[in-house]
Amino acid sequence: MPKAYWISTYRSISDPAALAEYAKLAGPALQAAGGRFLARGMPAQVYEAAVNQRAVLIEFDSVAQAIAAHDTPEYQAALDALGNGAERDIRIVEGVA
């Protein structure tokens, strides 16, 4: 079964304190659900139409595991803490086998 990758990009951050609270809750919640953080932070370089914005890449053993991680009560609590503190784009993509 191919691995899955959760890709988050942050279009804007309007409340850094809410983002910090989200991070305190989301990291442990996603790791407990089987996620492995591979990269997070600002890009070292951008090309073409890319925007220089914060990005996070998390690996899961499957798409189903990534979706289940998003839907856990622990991650939902992290989203509640974030509220409207950031505009993000989250994608779950199946890896190439």
Side-chain angles (χ1 to χ4, degrees):
M1 180 178 339
K3 294 193 183 287
Y5 298 90
W6 171 315
I7 305 162
S8 303
T9 57
Y10 287 69
R11 295 179 182 170
S12 66
I13 298 169
S14 57
D15 186 344
L19 179 60
E21 186 60 28
Y22 161 83
K24 282 196 289 188
L25 298 171
L30 294 172
Q31 288 174 322
R36 294 172 295 282
F37 284 83
L38 301 180
R40 66 177 149 206
M42 295 300 291
Q45 179 65 44
V46 296
Y47 291 102
E48 300 182 26
V51 178
N52 192 17
Q53 59 192 17
R54 179 177 173 76
V56 178
L57 177 62
I58 309 167
E59 181 182 63
F60 288 89
D61 289 335
S62 68
V63 167
Q65 186 183 44
I67 292 169
H70 181 277
D71 296 341
T72 63
E74 295 81 7
Y75 186 71
Q76 294 302 305
L79 288 177
D80 288 343
L82 178 60
N84 292 323
E87 181 183 351
R88 306 179 309 149
D89 178 331
I90 297 175
R91 300 165 192 231
I92 295 173
V93 179
E94 186 172 66
V96 178

